[in-house]
Structures are given as C-alpha cells and as structure tokens.
Amino acid sequence: MNALGLVSMRLCAGLMGRRSAVNLPFLRFSSGMTLSQIDDEVAKLLQLKAQLGGDEGKHVFVLKTAKGTRDYNPKQMAIREKVFNIIVSCFKRHGAETIDTPVFELKETLTGKYGEDSKLIYDLKDQGGELLSLRYDLTVPFARYLALNKITNIKRYHIAKVYRRDNPAMTRGRYREFYQCDFDIAGQYDAMIPDAECLKIVYEILNELDLGDFRIKVNDRRILDGMFAVCGVPDEKFRTICSTVDKLDKTAWEDVRKEMVNEKGLSEDVADRIGAYVSMQGGQDLAERLLQDPKLSQNKQACAGLTDMKLLFSYLELFQVTDKVVFDLSLARGLDYYTGVIYEAVLSQTIPAPVCTPTEQNGADEAGVSVGSVAGGGRYDGLVGMFDPKGRKVPCVGVSIGIERIFSIMEQKAEASSVKVRTTETQVLVASAQKNLLEERLKLTSELWNAGIKAEVLYKKNPKLLSQLQHCEETGIPLVAILGEQELKDGVVKLRNVASREEVDVPRADLVDEIKTRTL
Amino acid sequence: MNALGLVSMRLCAGLMGRRSAVNLPFLRFSSGMTLSQIDDEVAKLLQLKAQLGGDEGKHVFVLKTAKGTRDYNPKQMAIREKVFNIIVSCFKRHGAETIDTPVFELKETLTGKYGEDSKLIYDLKDQGGELLSLRYDLTVPFARYLALNKITNIKRYHIAKVYRRDNPAMTRGRYREFYQCDFDIAGQYDAMIPDAECLKIVYEILNELDLGDFRIKVNDRRILDGMFAVCGVPDEKFRTICSTVDKLDKTAWEDVRKEMVNEKGLSEDVADRIGAYVSMQGGQDLAERLLQDPKLSQNKQACAGLTDMKLLFSYLELFQVTDKVVFDLSLARGLDYYTGVIYEAVLSQTIPAPVCTPTEQNGADEAGVSVGSVAGGGRYDGLVGMFDPKGRKVPCVGVSIGIERIFSIMEQKAEASSVKVRTTETQVLVASAQKNLLEERLKLTSELWNAGIKAEVLYKKNPKLLSQLQHCEETGIPLVAILGEQELKDGVVKLRNVASREEVDVPRADLVDEIKTRTL
C-alpha cells in the first residue's frame, strides 16, 4: 500500500461508524438498481481503487511463470517434437485432416458442457465487448466448429493447449496449461467402426511411444445408466453417482461407498448392488455374460450398450488390440457430454516419488504412484446439437492424448540416459584458424545457407579455433569447415570431423556435396 | 433482461431522485475507503448483478468465434503447414534451437514494455490468485525466460500465437489472435554480426515464400534519437515524436507534420528539420554521407548508429542481400524496448480490395492496398535487464515474421489456382466390391496401418464401390485396394490407380511394398 492508501486507512478508521451508516442505505437501495447502474457503480469503485494506487507501493516484482505453467527449454522442446511427430504420424496414417480454433471462445460456448468442472474454466477480464473464456478442452470447440460450419462428416486431429484452473501437480505432469492431442470422427456411420479405430489409435501411439505396459479401459455410458437404474439409483442422481464411481481409479471401494451413502444419500443396499457390478472386468465374454444378467438384460439402455460392446470387441479383435483393452464397469469419466462408449488408457509404469514443493503437495496421490490416465475419450452424439440452432445432431467419437504426463516420463528417461539430446540440427560450423577472416567466414556461411546447408558461424571477429571447436562439441555439430590464408589461396576448405578429429582439404566447389554426403 | 430486471427497472424509475441522493454521499465518502473495502463493495454489487440474472433472459446464444479470431479449416491448415515448414527450415538452417512459454504471463511481466500499445493487452479475470495477461508478443516472454533462467547466450526461434485487443481487419490478415514466428540472438557479440544474420533470415524467408517483390527498411533508434536532438526536439518528447514518425508508412508527411506541431507541440522549424531527414533513403552511401552531416556528426548517439549502419551494410553485402535492404530514416517502429538497429519488411504486392463486413470497415487503409509490414524487429539490449533482479543486461537482436498477412496472400493464391490442395496424406483406401466384407476390409486396413501405410476405410458395413471411389476422387487418395470373394480366395488384392483407373492384382504379401513404391 502506498502513502495515499495509508492515509485513507487512517481516515477510514475514524469514520467507521459513519461508513456503515452510509453503506447500509446504499445496499438497501441497491436491490432496486438496474444492471447498468450496477456496472456504473463498479466502474467508479474500480477507478477509485486505481487512484488509490493498487498495492504497487509495497509490491516486489516476482520473476516467474504463472502458477501451474512452465517454459519449455530447447531440450524439452526436442523431446516434445519427437512425441508430436509420433502422434501426428499416427493421426495422418489414419487419414485425418487437421483444424485449429482460437484459444478463447465466447464464454457461453463453454457454459453447461463440463458439469462440476466448470469452476475450473479461466475467464478473460471484461474489458468491454464479448465475454470470453480460455478453452477447457478441444472437444467443445470442435463441436462448435462443426455446428458453425454445418459440417456433418469429418475426421480431424487437433493439437493445442487447453487451460484448467486446477490444483497443479507439476512433477506428475499436471499443469494449468497443457497440450491435448485430439482425434475425432464425426458423422453418421455404422455402429462401433469409428469407435474401434479410436482405440486402435490409442494402442498404436502408446506402443510407439515405448512407455512400457498399458491398459485401455472401456465402458459405455448407457451400460452405466442401465446399471444405476437396475440397482435402484433415482434418475436425477445418475450423473452425480457417475462422478462418485469415477473416483474408483484413485479411491478404495469402501470410501466410494461411504460417499454414495453419506453424501449422495443412496441406501446401503443400492450402493452394494453398484459395488457388485463395478468390480467386474473382462472382454467380449463379460459383455455376453451381462446380456444374460436377469436384471441388466431387462434394461433397454444397458442392452444397447452391451450389444455395442460385443460388436466393439469383435472389431478390436480384427485390429489385434484386445491384449490391452479391458471392459471395466468401474470406468465412468467425469464429463457430461458422453453418450455412449467411453475409454481411458493408463500406464502400468509408476514414476519415482517427486521432490514436492509445498504448493504442490497434494495428498497421497502425489508420491511414487501411477501417472494415471494418459489418454481418454468416448462418444458424444449430443454435443454438436447443443450448438446447432435447429438442434441437428452430428454423432461424434474421439480420443484425447494427454501429452504432459507422457512428456514427464520421456524427460525423466532422457535425464537418466547417457545419450545427449541435440537441440539444433546444424551440420557444419564455419571456422577460421587465423585472425582477420571474419568476412571470409561470413561469405562462406552465406554460400552454405544458400545451398540449403545448416551452418553456423561464431559472432566474433577473431574467435579462437579452440572455442570454435568447443562450440561444436557442446552442441553436437558434426563438422567444421576451417578457413585459413593457405586454404583461401588454394581454393579449398579444410573439413574436420569433430568426433574423429580427422581433417581433409575439400575443393570449395565440392564442399556442399561433401557436407551433404557426410551428414545424411 | 428477465422479469426481475424489469421489475427493478420500474422500481428504479420511481426512485430516481432518492437514488442520486444516496449515491452522492456514498461517492463522497468513498475517497476515504481502503482497497479491500472497495473490493467488498465491488463484490456486493456484482453479486447483486448476478441475482438480477444478468441479461440472460433476453439473450440468444450466438454461434460464432470471438471477435477478431478465426478457425482454420483443413485447407487453411495445409497452407499454414507449408508456410511454417519454410520458416522453421530457415530457422534451423541458421542453427536455432526452439523454446516455448505459456500463453499467459503475470500481468506485471508485461507492464511498461509496450508504450501506448499497453491498452491492447488482454487481461484474465481475477478469479483469485495471480493477475495474468495474455502475451502481447514473444519478445517480452523471451526476455523474461532469459532472466528467469539466467541464460546469457542463445539463438532460438519461437512460433506461437499472441493476443492484441486491436481493431481487427481480418480480410487484410489483421486478427486479435495471430501467430508470430520469432528468431532472436541473445549474447554479447561483436557489433552487427547477429543483426546482419537476422536480416539475411528475413530475406531468405520472403524469397522462399515467393510472395513477389519486397523491401526491408532499416534504421537505428540511436540515429533517430540523435536526429531528434539535432533538430531541437526536447528529450522528453523523443518517444512520442518517434510514434508520430512511425505513421509515415501510412500517412502523408503533411499530416504527420500537423500532428507534430498541433498535437505534440513542436515548433514548425523543428518539424521541418525532421522532415528533411525522414525523407532520406539509401544504403551504405547514405550512412557515410550522414556521418559527414555537420549537425548529425556532432551527436554521439547518431554517430554510433551511423557507424554501425555502415558496418551492417558491409556484412549485408557479404550476405548478398543489399538489393532489397534500404536504410530509411523514416522507419521508427512503435515499441519502447528497441535500443539499436530496427527493421521492417514490406511486400510490394497489393492485395485485392476485400469485401468488407460492416464491423471490419476501417477507413482507407482497408481497400486494395499494400498488405504492409510482414516482418519486423530490431535490437533490444535493455529488456532482459528489466527482469533481472540485479539489472544484468543481455544484448538481444531479433526478428518477428507476421504470418497472418502471409497466410492471407497464400490463401488467395490457392483460391485462384486450379491445383487442388490435399488435406490428408492417405495413400490408399481399402474398399470392397461386394457385400459382407467389412471384417476383411478392417483386417486389411489394420495390416496396412501396422506396416506404416496411410490407409482409410469407409465406416459402413456395405458401402457401394462407387461411393468408395468418389471418396478417393474428392480427397485425392491415389490408390484403392479392392477386396472381393475371388481376391480373398486367390490371396491377392486388386490395386486400382484412381487417376488412370488401371487395375492390377497384387499378391497380398507384396501389397505394402507395391503401395510404397507407387506413392513415393
């Protein structure tokens, strides 16, 4: 607080009685105010706050990134590029196009899509004009894109950052700004074919990333809803019980049961009936068995879901991915918009207990445990219709790869490995062994650039040869093109292999080809 | 406005007199309020606004992207990918690493860096915790990154979106969310060598993008300041006169002169002296001539700038780029942080007069004119020091490619051209000529995916052969692998060239190689 602020505080202390006296009638009156009058009052107050100088006076600038976010340094970017290449190659192999949408949407575009998670949405300040929010995922912007452009058929991927005001746990790869890699298929197609392709894609990507063993859990919202119905959960509690079931991946059944009974008001009988179902895991056989279940088989929703689950597994068989896919009745997923199949991939590998900073400590799930879900998705046949003025539906199914946790693992692998990660692709450094050759170095470098060679030159008039060679060793540049008086006279360049220290004179006219051959 | 809102408006109309009576003492009192008391009042008012129901009642959901932003469809993405590839290849050819920073920074990180443009910064809503703003460019986050990580030497590129609450002119490629492609060299080096490389990079990129003729204007903040000093501009007016000079690319000298005299309070003599200088353009010769100028040569700043300009041109000569580079004394650039060389690239090409929507009409600069600056940058030796707790300086020079205007031109080119832009890379569609072969199609497709072939299959149980072939024609898939009862019996696949309609039976074991060979 600055000097003015202190003065006004003292002033205020003496006026306290009067203040409440003035304040009360104001607030009593205010229930009759219009919205624009309120806006005016707010504006006046904020202006006053600005005049008082904010709290700049006592404030010390803190040099950091925003909470829950991080920079990527060149090494991390090299790893990121590798991961993205694997993912994009897979998406392209499956014939996907790509789109991009703005980082913010109209606030109301996001309203009513995320259930209890809506509180995690970042809003932009009202600076006049539209009310905006940062995107929370790529699925809702995709649905908005389809409705806006009246697209009824598309297979697209979208790799971009999304934003959640969640409790960050950065050592486990949980950030407030993070990448999602989404692949979705929109269109009216025959049952379970696109759904099976999404699972095939998750399988391929996790295999290629080489992150160790993994499992893909599959379930269906219709099976969950049918199960809740036959267990005796009242209709209006389906979504909230669904959220409770969703905690089973991190919480023991006893605690989930307690929440159902004590907080959500289910009877113990109902909870136990749910408990019997959600402990079931299997494959096509489980779907068949449940289709014979005396209660479930009477529920239309459950039957539709189970029949599709059987079909899905028959396609997964053809795609040869059933070794990793489990039909798991405890999988629920939090988001409101799913209408059919849902899935989630988890790595079996655990990551070492991280060194927690105080702000990152977050209970038991923080230490030496599974990195949790690295991919998830499902079918959302109703979402596009929520945006279409006439409610026209476009069935969609998709998957989102949660890349940050994968980065965390890859980074730790890179740290542990002795192989040095290169952060540039430079093929050759143009160097000189003598003084006063800056102009010749620049000229040769320019020639190489013009020929498409990745070349560097030190920005010094007279660098020592040793420091030029050191730069190569540090950054992994494999070749040095050395110029000297003699070489210039002879029309050659001394080409040195940094690793072997072997040197050979190359005629200047052949240099480009020689470098290309050596750095294929 | 909902029913409650209407009631409160009627209530209000009757209470108007009383309202002002209450309001006045409140505001009189408020000058003695503390900041937290103001916050409380604001919170109460906003709560009241929420209770009144906002304006949801009368509100109709509008399906659109936020003002000044756009989606990229698959065709635009294909063009974007091409442009990015050219730019990234150039940055890598020059030995750059890459980094990434969060889309938002602490608000105070951006404070005091952008002069008059600060009003265009997007702030995030105060939802508790830190005050954040969307990044306005990539330069300030880069400087913050260097200071935070105590980096004194780096050559990096960064391609990412930045945000400006500017008046959008989307047909001209001016958006509120747009990409910047930045290349910067940080470190204490010998004069003008990195600066020359930045200009070489702009030259290479604009050449390769094939956007027609262009010019790169160069000047130096020290020359500008020296010029202002010898013309008689008072020190404290340097920056504001600089902003006025910056308008010379769009505004005639007469109008710029008027602003200097009428708005900025310069005498007519001083303005005319500036006018004489800012009309000068040239190359190394101009720098030499001005070093002899009786007034400028007496100014230390100007001399340092002109000496460096001479040196810069000697390096540009070695890089063979002087045919496009002009030393232009009218180039000023708006941003506060530049300390030395500044530059800006403009295309000679004009783009056709766009069809303006009413919200986009923006005066004369909107129609059939130059697309303006497509790249700009300069030296900013003081910016990193603003973030360092001990004020340690890291000299930097960089360039930013303004990609949106380039996209606009490339898109218009693509529209005008008859060549169809492919949005997928699919090599083969797996099809069938008969019914009941879905499983066989899925199996073959999976085999191809596993072998790294980019393959698609229609998500229909029994698609017609015609619709399968049409899909190929529409999306540019060059090959079709057709399965039928006979082919399955014979262990072959009928491989069809979509363009030539030629078909040949390929043994199933040879299919992958055959597809690879045909789609090299």
Side-chain angles (χ1 to χ4, degrees):
Chain A
M1 189 175 294
N2 58 15
L4 181 60
L6 278 171
V7 170
S8 64
M9 226 170 106
R10 277 189 213 113
L11 248 171
C12 223
L15 291 167
M16 253 342 169
R18 195 181 142 199
R19 176 166 154 66
S20 8
V22 177
N23 207 13
L24 280 175
F26 166 70
L27 276 179
R28 263 205 302 276
F29 170 77
S30 61
S31 61
M33 291 171 81
T34 64
L35 295 171
S36 73
Q37 285 163 345
I38 294 176
D39 284 340
D40 287 350
E41 292 297 332
V42 169
K44 282 175 199 161
L45 284 163
L46 290 178
Q47 201 186 348
L48 178 64
K49 184 179 175 183
Q51 282 164 6
L52 290 174
D55 43 5
E56 278 167 33
K58 72 168 178 189
H59 184 76
V60 178
F61 173 70
V62 181
L63 184 62
K64 67 186 283 295
T65 61
K67 185 180 176 190
T69 68
R70 63 160 168 178
D71 297 320
Y72 283 82
N73 65 33
K75 259 191 200 165
Q76 292 165 327
M77 288 299 280
I79 293 168
R80 188 171 115 176
E81 204 173 309
K82 202 179 133 195
V83 173
F84 280 162
N85 281 342
I86 288 174
I87 292 171
V88 169
S89 297
C90 178
F91 291 161
K92 287 188 173 176
R93 193 161 60 238
H94 286 260
E97 312 176 290
T98 186
I99 67 161
D100 195 17
T101 65
V103 83
F104 45 67
E105 295 278 344
L106 297 187
K107 184 175 166 57
E108 45 190 349
T109 297
L110 307 190
T111 302
K113 312 296 188 304
Y114 301 107
E116 291 177 9
D117 288 347
S118 296
K119 61 181 185 296
L120 303 180
I121 294 173
Y122 276 99
D123 292 329
L124 266 72
K125 190 170 155 185
D126 182 357
Q127 292 170 291
E130 298 161 338
L131 292 179
L132 307 173
S133 301
L134 297 187
R135 61 184 164 209
Y136 181 84
D137 64 9
L138 302 178
T139 310
V140 168
F142 175 55
R144 191 271 305 147
Y145 173 83
L146 295 186
L148 178 56
N149 297 288
K150 298 192 176 54
I151 295 165
T152 55
N153 283 282
I154 192 171
K155 175 156 62 173
R156 81 88 181 83
Y157 69 90
H158 188 188
I159 296 186
K161 288 175 176 176
V162 302
Y163 299 87
R164 299 185 184 179
R165 296 182 64 252
D166 212 338
N167 209 3
M170 318 224 290
T171 43
R172 283 185 63 223
R174 194 161 74 221
Y175 293 87
R176 290 182 157 196
E177 174 187 62
F178 58 98
Y179 268 98
Q180 284 196 336
C181 305
D182 279 24
F183 173 96
D184 292 82
I185 300 168
Q188 186 67 59
Y189 300 119
D190 284 323
M192 293 298 114
I193 314 176
D195 313 58
E197 185 171 10
C198 288
L199 291 167
K200 170 79 171 153
I201 281 175
V202 176
Y203 186 98
E204 286 180 13
I205 288 173
L206 293 182
N207 247 341
E208 279 183 73
L209 287 173
D210 195 20
L211 301 166
D213 199 21
F214 61 89
R215 271 183 322 146
I216 308 173
K217 297 189 262 185
V218 187
N219 199 2
D220 192 300
R221 273 284 163 88
R222 292 166 300 171
I223 300 177
L224 277 169
D225 285 354
M227 175 183 93
F228 292 144
V230 304
C231 291
V233 178
D235 283 18
E236 70 278 10
K237 288 191 178 169
F238 278 14
R239 281 287 83 80
T240 182
I241 294 301
C242 205
S243 296
T244 307
V245 168
D246 193 40
K247 295 177 183 167
L248 274 171
D249 58 339
K250 288 178 191 155
T251 315
W253 164 248
E254 287 68 37
D255 296 320
V256 167
R257 185 181 182 278
K258 251 181 228 159
E259 183 174 318
M260 286 182 179
V261 175
N262 300 343
E263 289 175 37
K264 305 281 168 92
L266 290 193
S267 78
E268 300 206 335
D269 278 1
V270 172
D272 287 337
R273 266 175 252 146
I274 295 174
Y277 280 117
V278 296
S279 66
M280 295 180 187
Q281 292 192 347
Q284 196 160 6
D285 56 315
L286 177 59
E288 272 158 14
R289 195 145 38 90
L290 288 173
L291 274 171
Q292 309 304 321
D293 180 284
K295 282 182 289 175
L296 268 188
S297 59
Q298 300 309 305
N299 181 284
K300 219 176 137 186
Q301 287 262 79
C303 275
L306 288 165
T307 308
D308 275 350
M309 187 63 69
K310 253 183 73 179
L311 188 61
L312 177 67
F313 267 89
S314 74
Y315 296 150
L316 296 178
E317 201 81 59
L318 295 169
F319 287 165
Q320 296 175 283
V321 298
T322 44
D323 59 320
K324 309 277 187 194
V325 184
V326 190
F327 172 26
D328 183 331
L329 280 153
S330 74
L331 178 71
R333 291 189 67 74
L335 298 178
D336 273 6
Y337 49 64
Y338 291 119
T339 54
V341 167
I342 48 177
Y343 34 81
E344 200 166 280
V346 282
L347 300 182
S348 311
Q349 187 193 359
T350 61
I351 58 171
V355 184
C356 292
T357 65
T359 52
E360 284 177 7
Q361 259 161 356
N362 193 20
D365 73 329
E366 190 63 35
V369 291
S370 156
V371 288
S373 154
V374 291
R379 179 161 281 285
Y380 49 101
D381 289 347
L383 191 56
V384 178
M386 289 173 74
F387 290 110
D388 188 278
K390 291 179 184 165
R392 278 166 297 210
K393 286 189 175 183
V394 178
C396 295
V397 63
V399 61
S400 180
I401 315 283
I403 220 50
E404 306 298 332
R405 290 170 182 186
I406 293 170
F407 284 153
S408 291
I409 297 167
M410 303 282 271
E411 265 184 75
Q412 287 172 20
K413 268 183 155 180
E415 288 289 320
S417 143
S418 58
V419 182
K420 222 176 149 184
V421 180
R422 272 200 79 180
T423 57
T424 68
E425 297 175 10
T426 309
Q427 297 164 287
V428 62
L429 179 80
V430 176
S432 62
Q434 292 143 332
K435 288 201 167 187
N436 302 321
L437 289 172
L438 172 63
E439 302 207 341
E440 291 295 340
R441 281 192 289 133
L442 294 182
K443 216 172 130 188
L444 177 57
T445 309
S446 182
E447 278 173 35
L448 294 174
W449 286 332
N450 293 346
I453 299 291
K454 293 166 191 150
E456 284 183 59
V457 61
L458 293 200
Y459 307 122
K460 296 273 176 192
K461 272 187 200 158
N462 296 306
K464 286 178 190 149
L465 185 59
L466 188 65
S467 60
Q468 295 175 89
L469 294 176
Q470 268 173 350
H471 177 73
C472 294
E473 306 245 354
E474 282 161 15
T475 62
I477 301 175
L479 298 172
V480 196
I482 305 172
L483 288 171
E485 301 290 355
Q486 193 58 46
E487 284 81 9
L488 287 167
K489 245 179 240 161
D490 298 347
V492 298
V493 174
K494 203 179 279 305
L495 195 60
R496 178 184 171 114
N497 180 314
V498 175
S500 69
R501 301 181 181 190
E502 167 217 354
E503 293 182 351
V504 57
D505 281 354
V506 178
R508 186 122 170 184
D510 302 342
L511 184 63
V512 167
D513 284 340
E514 183 66 24
I515 293 171
K516 280 185 184 164
T517 314
R518 293 227 208 163
T519 53
L520 265 185
Chain B
M1 191 174 293
N2 57 15
L4 181 60
L6 278 172
V7 169
S8 65
M9 224 170 107
R10 277 190 213 111
L11 250 171
C12 222
L15 291 167
M16 254 341 171
R18 195 180 142 199
R19 175 166 155 63
S20 8
V22 177
N23 206 10
L24 280 175
F26 166 69
L27 276 179
R28 263 206 302 276
F29 172 76
S30 60
S31 61
M33 290 172 82
T34 64
L35 295 171
S36 72
Q37 285 163 346
I38 293 175
D39 284 340
D40 288 350
E41 292 297 332
V42 169
K44 281 176 200 161
L45 284 164
L46 291 179
Q47 203 186 348
L48 177 66
K49 184 179 175 183
Q51 281 163 8
L52 289 175
D55 41 6
E56 279 166 32
K58 71 168 179 190
H59 184 75
V60 178
F61 173 69
V62 181
L63 184 62
K64 66 187 283 294
T65 61
K67 184 181 177 190
T69 69
R70 63 159 168 179
D71 297 318
Y72 284 82
N73 66 33
K75 259 191 200 167
Q76 292 165 328
M77 287 299 280
I79 293 167
R80 189 171 113 175
E81 205 173 309
K82 200 178 135 196
V83 173
F84 279 162
N85 280 343
I86 288 174
I87 292 171
V88 169
S89 297
C90 177
F91 292 161
K92 287 187 172 176
R93 193 160 60 238
H94 286 260
E97 311 176 290
T98 186
I99 68 162
D100 195 17
T101 65
V103 82
F104 44 68
E105 295 279 342
L106 297 187
K107 184 175 166 57
E108 44 189 350
T109 297
L110 307 191
T111 303
K113 310 298 187 304
Y114 300 108
E116 291 176 9
D117 288 347
S118 297
K119 62 182 184 296
L120 303 180
I121 294 173
Y122 276 100
D123 291 330
L124 267 71
K125 190 171 154 184
D126 183 356
Q127 292 169 291
E130 299 161 339
L131 291 179
L132 306 172
S133 301
L134 298 187
R135 62 184 163 208
Y136 181 84
D137 64 9
L138 302 177
T139 309
V140 168
F142 174 56
R144 193 268 306 146
Y145 173 84
L146 295 185
L148 178 57
N149 297 288
K150 299 191 175 57
I151 295 166
T152 54
N153 283 282
I154 192 172
K155 175 157 62 175
R156 81 89 183 80
Y157 70 90
H158 187 188
I159 296 187
K161 289 174 176 176
V162 302
Y163 299 87
R164 300 186 184 177
R165 297 181 65 251
D166 213 339
N167 209 3
M170 319 225 290
T171 43
R172 282 186 63 223
R174 194 162 73 219
Y175 293 87
R176 289 182 159 198
E177 174 187 61
F178 58 98
Y179 268 99
Q180 285 196 335
C181 304
D182 278 25
F183 174 97
D184 293 81
I185 300 168
Q188 186 67 58
Y189 300 119
D190 283 323
M192 295 298 114
I193 313 177
D195 313 58
E197 185 171 10
C198 288
L199 291 167
K200 169 78 171 154
I201 281 175
V202 176
Y203 186 97
E204 285 181 14
I205 288 173
L206 293 182
N207 247 341
E208 279 183 73
L209 287 173
D210 195 21
L211 300 166
D213 199 22
F214 60 90
R215 270 183 322 146
I216 308 173
K217 297 188 261 184
V218 188
N219 199 1
D220 192 299
R221 271 284 162 89
R222 293 165 299 171
I223 299 175
L224 278 169
D225 285 353
M227 175 183 93
F228 292 144
V230 304
C231 290
V233 178
D235 282 17
E236 70 279 9
K237 287 191 178 169
F238 278 13
R239 281 287 81 80
T240 182
I241 294 302
C242 205
S243 296
T244 307
V245 168
D246 193 40
K247 295 177 183 167
L248 275 171
D249 58 338
K250 288 177 191 155
T251 315
W253 164 249
E254 288 67 38
D255 296 319
V256 167
R257 185 180 182 279
K258 251 181 229 159
E259 183 174 317
M260 286 182 179
V261 175
N262 301 343
E263 290 176 37
K264 306 281 167 96
L266 291 192
S267 77
E268 300 206 334
D269 278 2
V270 172
D272 288 337
R273 268 174 251 147
I274 296 173
Y277 280 117
V278 296
S279 66
M280 295 180 187
Q281 291 192 347
Q284 197 161 4
D285 55 315
L286 177 58
E288 272 158 13
R289 193 143 42 89
L290 288 173
L291 274 171
Q292 309 305 320
D293 180 283
K295 279 182 291 174
L296 268 188
S297 60
Q298 299 310 303
N299 182 284
K300 220 177 138 187
Q301 287 262 78
C303 275
L306 289 165
T307 307
D308 276 349
M309 188 62 70
K310 252 184 75 180
L311 188 61
L312 176 67
F313 266 90
S314 74
Y315 296 150
L316 296 177
E317 200 80 60
L318 294 169
F319 288 164
Q320 295 176 284
V321 298
T322 43
D323 58 321
K324 308 277 188 193
V325 184
V326 190
F327 172 26
D328 183 331
L329 280 153
S330 74
L331 178 71
R333 290 189 67 74
L335 298 177
D336 273 6
Y337 50 63
Y338 291 119
T339 54
V341 166
I342 48 177
Y343 34 82
E344 200 166 281
V346 283
L347 300 181
S348 311
Q349 188 192 359
T350 61
I351 59 171
V355 183
C356 292
T357 65
T359 52
E360 284 176 9
Q361 259 162 354
N362 194 19
D365 71 331
E366 191 63 35
V369 291
S370 156
V371 288
S373 155
V374 290
R379 179 161 281 284
Y380 48 101
D381 289 347
L383 191 56
V384 178
M386 289 173 75
F387 291 111
D388 188 277
K390 292 181 183 163
R392 279 167 297 211
K393 286 190 176 183
V394 178
C396 294
V397 63
V399 62
S400 180
I401 314 283
I403 221 50
E404 306 297 333
R405 290 170 182 187
I406 293 171
F407 285 153
S408 291
I409 298 167
M410 303 281 272
E411 265 184 76
Q412 287 172 20
K413 267 183 156 182
E415 287 290 319
S417 142
S418 58
V419 182
K420 221 175 150 184
V421 179
R422 272 200 78 179
T423 58
T424 69
E425 297 176 9
T426 310
Q427 297 163 287
V428 62
L429 179 79
V430 176
S432 62
Q434 291 143 335
K435 286 201 169 187
N436 302 321
L437 289 172
L438 171 64
E439 302 208 340
E440 292 296 339
R441 279 192 291 134
L442 293 182
K443 217 171 129 188
L444 178 57
T445 309
S446 183
E447 277 173 36
L448 295 175
W449 286 332
N450 292 346
I453 299 290
K454 293 167 191 148
E456 284 183 60
V457 61
L458 293 201
Y459 306 122
K460 297 273 176 193
K461 273 187 199 158
N462 296 307
K464 287 180 190 147
L465 185 60
L466 189 65
S467 60
Q468 295 175 90
L469 295 176
Q470 268 173 348
H471 177 74
C472 294
E473 306 245 355
E474 281 162 15
T475 63
I477 300 175
L479 298 173
V480 196
I482 304 172
L483 288 171
E485 299 291 355
Q486 195 56 48
E487 285 80 9
L488 286 167
K489 247 180 239 163
D490 299 347
V492 298
V493 173
K494 203 178 279 305
L495 195 61
R496 178 186 169 112
N497 180 315
V498 175
S500 70
R501 300 182 182 190
E502 166 217 355
E503 293 182 351
V504 58
D505 280 353
V506 178
R508 186 121 169 186
D510 302 342
L511 184 62
V512 167
D513 285 341
E514 182 66 24
I515 294 170
K516 280 185 184 165
T517 313
R518 293 226 208 164
T519 53
L520 265 186

